[in-house]
Amino acid sequence: MSVVEQYARAHIVTDADILLEEQDAVPVVLRYDPDSDPPSVRVRLPGREAHEYTFSRSLLEQGLRAPAGSGEIRVWPCGRVQAVVEIHTEQGVSVVQFETKALMRFLRRTYLATAPVPH
């Protein structure tokens, strides 16, 4: 199976690093590796020190329809075309706002990467 990596534009607001606060969208990396961690997805945020967060793929999927959370990660729809991923760490809180269709496209690609191969 192959790794799925997708860049998405997102708005980031954080209380941990004022330099990450951008009025313009920034590139965020969405990653799924079915060989090393099949139930999880990763989100890598830009910055002086790139931060990568791992959480369940099902949490991301659930959060596109209704508020969902587990541990330090919360995901919820924001209006009709956006979704929010909120990340709590010891350094603070980061709120990452995506276009929902970018996250849906990423999820679809992750399921295609894990689809059984017909014999």
Side-chain angles (χ1 to χ4, degrees):
M1 291 184 260
S2 61
V3 171
V4 174
E5 190 168 277
Q6 176 179 313
Y7 287 84
R9 307 271 312 150
H11 292 276
I12 300 172
V13 178
T14 177
D15 63 0
D17 186 350
I18 299 303
L19 293 177
L20 281 179
E21 287 194 31
E22 295 281 339
Q23 291 195 1
D24 296 325
V26 297
V28 173
V29 180
L30 306 168
R31 185 175 170 84
Y32 174 71
D33 186 345
D35 292 328
S36 71
D37 194 1
S40 299
V41 294
R42 295 180 187 157
V43 174
R44 187 169 57 231
L45 304 181
R48 286 175 298 184
E49 299 174 18
H51 302 282
E52 186 169 271
Y53 303 95
T54 302
F55 55 96
S56 111
R57 178 171 62 169
S58 64
L59 173 63
L60 180 58
E61 186 173 16
Q62 291 168 9
L64 294 180
R65 294 188 301 271
S70 176
E72 63 187 25
I73 306 292
R74 310 251 183 280
V75 182
W76 67 88
C78 182
R80 298 175 73 180
V81 297
Q82 295 182 327
V84 170
V85 176
E86 182 180 271
I87 304 163
H88 294 257
T89 66
E90 291 179 6
Q91 291 77 35
V93 178
S94 295
V95 176
V96 186
Q97 189 173 30
F98 292 92
E99 286 190 18
T100 302
K101 66 182 179 181
L103 295 177
M104 291 175 68
R105 183 173 40 250
F106 172 69
L107 282 171
R108 191 169 35 254
R109 290 180 63 210
T110 69
Y111 285 110
L112 288 172
T114 57
V117 178
H119 297 313

